[in-house]
Amino acid sequence: MIKVLDKSVSDKIAAGEVIERPISVIKELVENSVDAGAKSITVEIKNGGKTYMRITDDGCGIPGEEVETAFLRHATSKIEKAGDLGSISTLGFRGEALASIAAVTRTTMITKTRDEKTGRRVVIYGGQTVENAPTGCPDGTTIVVTDLFYNTPARREFLKSDGTESSLIIGFVSEMALAFDQIKFQMINNGRIIFTSTGNGDLKSAIMNVYQRREYDNLIPIESENEYCKVRGYISRPSLTRPSRREQFFFVNGRVVMSKVIETGITKGYRERHFEGRFPVAFIMVTVDPADIDVNIHPNKREVRFHYEQGITDGVEDAVRTALHEDEAVINFTDYYENHDSSNKEADDKSEKSLDTIRRILSTKRDAATSASAKKPRSKKSFQESFDIKPHSADVSLDTDSDLAEEKANYNTFNQNNITVNQSEINAAADRSENADVNSPENQADTSAFDLEPAERPFDFSHLEITGIIFNTYITAVDGDNFYMFDQHAAHERVLYEKLVRAYMLGAKASQPLLTPVSLDVPFSDTEEIDELIEPLDKMGFSIEPFGPNTLIMREIPTYMTITEAEDFAKDYMASAPENRGWNQVVVDKLITKSCKGAVKAHDVLSQAEAEALMDQLRLCRNPFSCPHGRPTFIRFSKYRIETFFKRIQ
């Protein structure tokens, strides 16, 4: 027999869908305070919110005659008709929060509007009104919620420890203090003030007040705007990373959200700036037209759906990439050392060794040979003339003038697995590509994913004076106020990487035939699928064609790859092709990164002229800050920090 449930039963069931734990109550009530136009919000909890929660605001309040109505299910002042759901600009709107909270708690509300002389006090236990009387109170609303799930004890058994529940609430209120930096938030836990934000509209100030972490003082501001969104916020320098995304906070129209779309924008913006498996700190505020998002896809409104996902990703990527190309994004040694994540013990050990090395460097005289080299006049030769690596028959030599011949013997052997690779062909192809018309129709689509020529150089190298080379690995330089160390391998790898990518993007490929073709198995045999699969590989310099059912044969490979590298890459690509249709720029990046093996190594001896030529080429790179693997190409030491180190400045 079908029956209509009693209201008390249906209210408890509905409440279970909205109120899962204490943070659910806090979230709904704090969002209501924001929607009420509050300028100050205080959140107080005890025992993780299980026994006591209080939210006080100075918002508009609720008229006395409407207080009980506010606790009815689906009673709301924020929408009137179905069409309003298409352009929601408030955090709450469904009218379920107060009804759900009151159904499973003992709730007291004290509220007053600015126009009324007295306020109203309403007490509701388990959905039933116990008291409704006038009272004296300030403008705004205070809601006290006690004994969560007192009438549904089974639900209490699923709550976590007081510490866990408190942590979730503090985390949420912290995020709200950032999302609405124009509102003063105060968080109190078991009688102790956790934080108080200023509410002055300064996001950086809010971040520092809430999180109180010294490393956040060096966050970089970001800002961008396109036709789909506005993006602002703060991100960390490449020197500050974490092992997870726990310190990435996203806000859309003031709503705290989780978003793969925004995550993708951050990942693309930081591409090549840090190691894989490490994540930057980020506080990203995205503003979009309310009509362009759907916030009603999940009961807790933690997830949103964008109508123009690519536009949001592009906006975030542009904001991040632009900020990381500013001078302040250069890694300072003190930032890198002080902010390094202590959970990465191996990296911390390396940092400690690096600090000891720097102490020795700064407290001893420069090597006499290096000093003599530093006095040589600056060479005006091109990078190809003074620093061109040409591996032939497993020997590496420098195509330089006779006065550099003595350096040849110092280079490591370059094993190409018995394949003769003519590096000059790659250089020539890249040189031809530099003169190509990147705006031509045939090249326009290919270059869209890679900025061949940045509109502005991200770092000015013209003011640097190269002073020498230490440990046959690090090129040193100074300007008026800073000391720099360049990793010669990372720097040269970046130069070669961009040269190869430029050649690839403009179709200046170079292939080499294989004496013994290699067969490749594919998981499908459809002719159109195979042709679609082979096309991007052909552009890279592969020559692959069908060779029987489910088999391809590889006859040529790119000149910058060994047989093993080419075969492994082709097999991996074939295996992932059914799930990854089309060409992915990330795959290209990984390939070229792996292929940059012609770079000069650590401990290879460079002359002053070669070091200067390397700096000239690094200056032209779109991203001179890091190698393709994410390691920094150079680190800066300020004069102030050095003098502080030596106790010249207290």
Side-chain angles (χ1 to χ4, degrees):
M1 180 182 294
I2 299 176
K3 297 181 179 180
V4 177
L5 291 174
D6 183 82
K7 181 178 182 298
S8 62
V9 177
S10 62
D11 283 352
K12 290 178 182 178
I13 294 173
E17 298 176 354
V18 178
I19 307 303
E20 298 177 355
R21 56 202 316 171
I23 188 178
S24 304
V25 175
I26 296 295
K27 180 179 185 298
E28 298 290 351
L29 297 182
V30 169
E31 289 181 348
N32 280 348
S33 294
V34 173
D35 289 340
K39 297 300 181 183
S40 176
I41 300 174
T42 298
V43 178
E44 181 179 4
I45 61 173
K46 295 178 182 178
N47 305 115
K50 300 173 186 176
T51 61
Y52 183 89
M53 290 176 275
R54 175 177 67 88
I55 293 84
T56 299
D57 69 58
D58 60 354
C60 64
I62 301 174
E65 67 274 13
E66 297 180 3
V67 173
E68 281 200 62
T69 304
F71 283 91
L72 298 178
R73 190 164 303 282
H74 305 307
T76 178
S77 63
K78 300 167 186 176
I79 61 174
E80 294 183 4
K81 54 186 183 299
D84 295 338
L85 294 173
S87 57
I88 296 171
S89 58
T90 55
L91 299 179
F93 57 90
R94 291 193 298 260
E96 295 181 85
L98 292 180
S100 297
I101 293 169
V104 292
T105 66
R106 305 181 199 274
T107 301
T108 300
M109 173 187 282
I110 301 173
T111 184
K112 175 183 174 298
T113 65
R114 293 176 178 83
D115 298 331
E116 294 178 318
K117 293 182 179 180
T118 60
R120 204 76 185 172
R121 171 188 171 90
V122 176
V123 179
I124 300 177
Y125 290 174
Q128 301 298 317
T129 301
V130 175
E131 178 186 345
N132 184 349
T135 186
C137 62
D139 296 344
T141 301
T142 293
I143 297 181
V144 177
V145 177
T146 61
D147 301 325
L148 179 63
F149 299 138
Y150 81 97
N151 54 356
T152 54
R155 298 291 301 278
R156 294 179 64 91
E157 300 299 322
F158 289 93
L159 296 179
K160 303 298 182 181
S161 67
D162 291 357
T164 299
E165 300 295 348
S166 296
S167 178
L168 292 173
I169 293 171
I170 293 171
F172 169 74
V173 178
S174 299
E175 294 171 341
M176 291 297 288
L178 304 186
F180 298 93
D181 49 28
Q182 75 280 11
I183 301 176
K184 178 181 177 180
F185 279 84
Q186 185 174 66
M187 180 71 226
I188 303 173
N189 181 30
N190 293 328
R192 184 170 67 91
I193 297 177
I194 303 301
F195 68 81
T196 302
S197 66
T198 61
N200 61 2
D202 183 354
L203 176 58
K204 181 67 172 295
S205 174
I207 292 173
M208 298 305 296
N209 287 334
V210 170
Y211 292 100
Q212 302 174 15
R213 295 182 181 176
R214 182 177 58 180
E215 60 263 39
Y216 285 2
D217 192 46
N218 293 315
L219 295 177
I220 305 170
I222 65 171
E223 188 172 359
S224 75
E225 182 177 353
N226 61 24
E227 61 181 305
Y228 304 106
C229 66
K230 292 181 181 179
V231 179
R232 70 181 182 95
Y234 284 86
I235 58 174
S236 62
R237 298 181 181 186
S239 55
L240 176 60
T241 60
R242 298 295 191 234
S244 70
R245 295 187 184 273
R246 289 185 61 184
E247 292 184 45
Q248 292 185 354
F249 305 93
F250 308 146
F251 309 86
V252 177
N253 291 358
R255 195 183 302 276
V256 182
V257 302
M258 298 179 293
S259 173
K260 293 293 184 182
V261 174
I262 298 177
E263 282 182 10
T264 300
I266 293 176
T267 300
K268 288 184 175 181
Y270 270 92
R271 188 174 58 187
E272 306 164 14
R273 297 306 301 271
H274 55 62
F275 293 108
E276 290 188 14
R278 304 291 295 182
F279 303 93
V281 174
F283 300 88
I284 307 294
M285 313 288 180
V286 178
T287 303
V288 302
D289 185 333
D292 290 340
I293 59 172
D294 183 357
V295 299
N296 200 25
I297 63 174
H298 194 277
N300 65 13
K301 301 185 289 292
R302 185 77 180 191
E303 300 176 17
V304 297
R305 180 181 293 117
F306 297 100
H307 293 175
Y308 305 102
E309 292 186 350
Q310 189 59 51
I312 306 302
T313 296
D314 291 345
V316 174
E317 178 186 1
D318 179 64
V320 171
R321 190 184 299 278
T322 299
L324 293 179
H325 273 66
E326 298 295 331
D327 180 74
E328 64 179 330
V330 175
I331 294 179
N332 292 314
F333 176 77
T334 49
D335 295 337
Y336 186 82
Y337 178 72
E338 293 173 0
N339 298 334
H340 215 59
D341 190 355
S342 59
S343 64
N344 190 340
K345 188 176 186 304
E346 180 180 356
D348 285 342
D349 291 341
K350 291 181 179 178
S351 291
E352 183 62 40
K353 293 178 181 178
S354 297
L355 182 60
D356 291 336
T357 300
I358 299 306
R359 287 171 177 157
R360 291 196 301 270
I361 294 170
L362 298 178
S363 60
T364 59
K365 291 185 177 181
R366 193 184 309 148
D367 182 83
T370 305
S371 298
S373 176
K375 296 178 181 178
K376 292 182 180 180
R378 184 172 178 83
S379 171
K380 299 298 182 181
K381 298 172 184 176
S382 69
F383 193 70
Q384 270 70 29
E385 291 174 324
S386 62
F387 200 74
D388 191 7
I389 295 181
K390 291 185 177 181
H392 292 286
S393 303
D395 290 327
V396 178
S397 61
L398 295 174
D399 185 18
T400 60
D401 295 337
S402 57
D403 62 328
L404 303 178
E406 61 184 11
E407 308 284 16
K408 292 182 179 180
N410 294 315
Y411 283 89
N412 298 328
T413 1
F414 188 81
N415 186 351
Q416 288 289 333
N417 292 351
N418 299 322
I419 298 179
T420 300
V421 180
N422 190 347
Q423 184 74 23
S424 61
E425 291 181 8
I426 301 175
N427 293 335
D431 292 339
R432 288 195 302 272
S433 70
E434 290 177 351
N435 298 320
D437 180 9
V438 296
N439 295 317
S440 64
E442 61 272 19
N443 289 329
Q444 189 68 32
D446 294 336
T447 61
S448 60
F450 191 91
D451 298 329
L452 297 178
E453 292 296 336
E456 296 182 6
R457 295 298 173 192
F459 183 76
D460 183 12
F461 286 78
S462 62
H463 63 289
L464 296 184
E465 176 188 353
I466 296 179
T467 58
I469 303 173
I470 58 174
F471 308 134
N472 289 328
T473 301
Y474 304 104
I475 300 170
T476 62
V478 295
D479 61 16
D481 299 306
N482 300 283
F483 168 70
Y484 298 83
M485 291 179 62
F486 290 80
D487 183 324
Q488 65 187 32
H489 172 69
H492 193 204
E493 191 173 28
R494 162 56 58 182
V495 169
L496 291 182
Y497 170 69
E498 294 204 7
K499 181 178 292 186
L500 292 170
V501 171
R502 185 185 297 111
Y504 167 74
M505 287 296 179
L506 296 176
K509 66 179 183 179
S511 303
Q512 55 183 332
L514 299 177
L515 294 177
T516 304
V518 176
S519 62
L520 304 168
D521 295 329
V522 292
F524 46 87
S525 58
D526 181 82
T527 303
E528 291 186 1
E529 281 188 311
I530 291 177
D531 291 342
E532 181 183 350
L533 186 70
I534 293 176
E535 183 179 357
L537 295 178
D538 178 70
K539 183 179 177 182
M540 297 178 66
F542 286 89
S543 176
I544 300 177
E545 54 191 51
F547 191 73
N550 301 99
T551 304
L552 302 176
I553 189 165
M554 182 168 63
R555 301 186 184 279
E556 296 182 7
I557 63 174
T559 57
Y560 47 82
M561 300 182 72
T562 66
I563 289 180
T564 301
E565 290 172 342
E567 185 175 357
D568 289 345
F569 173 78
K571 287 180 177 179
D572 290 343
Y573 177 72
M574 301 295 177
S576 63
E579 294 80 25
N580 186 22
R581 291 297 180 204
W583 187 238
N584 190 331
Q585 182 61 35
V586 175
V587 178
V588 179
D589 290 343
K590 288 183 178 180
L591 167 67
I592 303 298
T593 297
K594 186 178 179 181
S595 303
C596 286
K597 294 197 173 182
V600 63
K601 304 299 188 294
H603 309 302
D604 287 348
V605 178
L606 303 184
S607 69
Q608 180 78 3
E610 290 170 325
E612 291 179 347
L614 178 56
M615 293 298 98
D616 286 341
Q617 286 295 302
L618 185 63
R619 175 178 60 86
L620 299 176
C621 290
R622 68 178 183 90
N623 173 18
F625 300 112
S626 62
C627 78
H629 306 290
R631 291 197 304 110
T633 54
F634 65 98
I635 296 178
R636 176 168 57 193
F637 307 77
S638 69
K639 180 181 178 181
Y640 173 81
R641 288 293 188 180
I642 293 174
E643 292 186 340
T644 301
F645 184 86
F646 282 108
K647 309 300 181 184
R648 289 181 175 271
I649 298 177
Q650 298 299 325

